[in-house]
Amino acid sequence: MDMKETRIGGEQIYDGIIVHLYKDDVTLPNGKTAVREVIRHQGAVCVVAIDNEENIYLVKQFRYPFNDIITEIPAGKLDAGETPLEGAARELREETGIVANNYLYLGELYTSPAFLDEVIHMYLATDLTFVEQDPDEDEFVEVEKIKLNDFVKEIMNGKIPDSKTQTAVLKAYLSLQSNS
């Protein structure tokens, strides 16, 4: 069955710093037309940093859309021309002051595929060293360390609502379990 929709026209509605909103006209598989609103995003990375004692390093930061402080793994948008691995290393160092010698790619996460094309590249970082934290000037983060097993329990008990953190941590946890 052909399920592909084909763009036949459209316009950019908003050109922001992080997101770009488009209103596209598409042809549906049955030949009819529809409108699709799509937010375009340059891509992002997130990093599960785990030390030799099985501690995970997290950041707490205020998230304006939810008017709340959220516990997350280090993450951020990719800079122009930057590879996902370069972005992961940069975000980890900036937000936590951690430099990792080993990275394992955990895959891609489509955060909200119905209207957003953002892809988050997920990494597990190990063999950690610590340097000075260097957050962006508009970024205020607090670093927290917790045992990986305890944090997985927090995720499973519904205490961590952030999707990238849930997905990447559980993938990292299962990856580490299968390698031990």
Side-chain angles (χ1 to χ4, degrees), residues 32-52:
K32 294 183 179 184
T33 61
V35 173
R36 298 290 183 245
E37 294 175 345
V38 180
I39 297 172
R40 303 277 180 210
H41 187 281
Q42 64 200 42
V45 293
C46 65
V47 185
V48 180
I50 299 175
D51 67 19
N52 293 337

Side-chain angles (χ1 to χ4, degrees), residues 50-55 57 126-128 147:
I50 299 175
D51 67 19
N52 293 337
E53 286 80 43
E54 295 187 3
N55 294 303
Y57 291 83
T126 56
D127 192 11
L128 311 179
K147 288 291 184 191

